[in-house]
Amino acid sequence: MLTDMEVEKLSRRLRRIKGQVEGIEKMIDDHRYCVEVLQQIGAVRAALYQVGLLMLESHSRSCVVDAIKKGKEDDAITELMGVYKSLHK
């Protein structure tokens, strides 16, 4: 479960990413050099990856810990590894 502080931090990051995506759209509309657009796409991907890592950390520190305390280690690890793998595609 995300804390209020984590929600605010993630929301700020996502608003910044939204601005970056809008900037990419404008770059394409303005026929900017492809390499510049691709660099911005890479920056957005990296920023989204960081959001995913923050979510994964929060999930690990709360939901996974709770599941382990309840004796559901295997389920928690299986779920965690599935999320980790999907984040690293």
Side-chain angles (χ1 to χ4, degrees):
M1 180 65 93
L2 293 171
T3 66
D4 290 341
M5 189 166 45
E6 289 170 327
V7 168
E8 180 56 34
K9 185 176 184 178
L10 290 168
S11 293
R12 276 194 313 270
R13 284 179 177 252
L14 289 170
R15 284 191 297 272
R16 193 174 317 125
I17 292 166
K18 181 180 177 182
Q20 287 177 292
V21 171
E22 289 169 353
I24 292 169
E25 183 178 20
K26 184 173 180 348
M27 291 174 78
I28 291 170
D29 290 343
D30 293 345
H31 302 280
R32 293 280 296 271
Y33 185 54
C34 294
V35 172
E36 292 174 3
V37 176
L38 291 167
Q39 288 170 334
Q40 290 305 308
I41 290 171
V44 168
R45 287 182 60 166
L48 280 172
Y49 180 76
Q50 289 302 313
V51 168
L53 284 180
L54 288 169
M55 291 288 305
L56 185 60
E57 180 179 1
S58 175
H59 177 68
S60 298
R61 292 182 184 276
S62 59
C63 300
V64 173
V65 169
D66 289 345
I68 290 170
K69 287 179 181 176
K70 293 176 182 174
K72 298 180 181 180
E73 299 90 353
D74 289 339
D75 292 341
I77 298 301
T78 299
E79 179 185 62
L80 184 62
M81 292 308 300
V83 171
Y84 180 82
K85 289 174 185 175
S86 70
L87 189 60
H88 285 85
K89 283 185 178 181

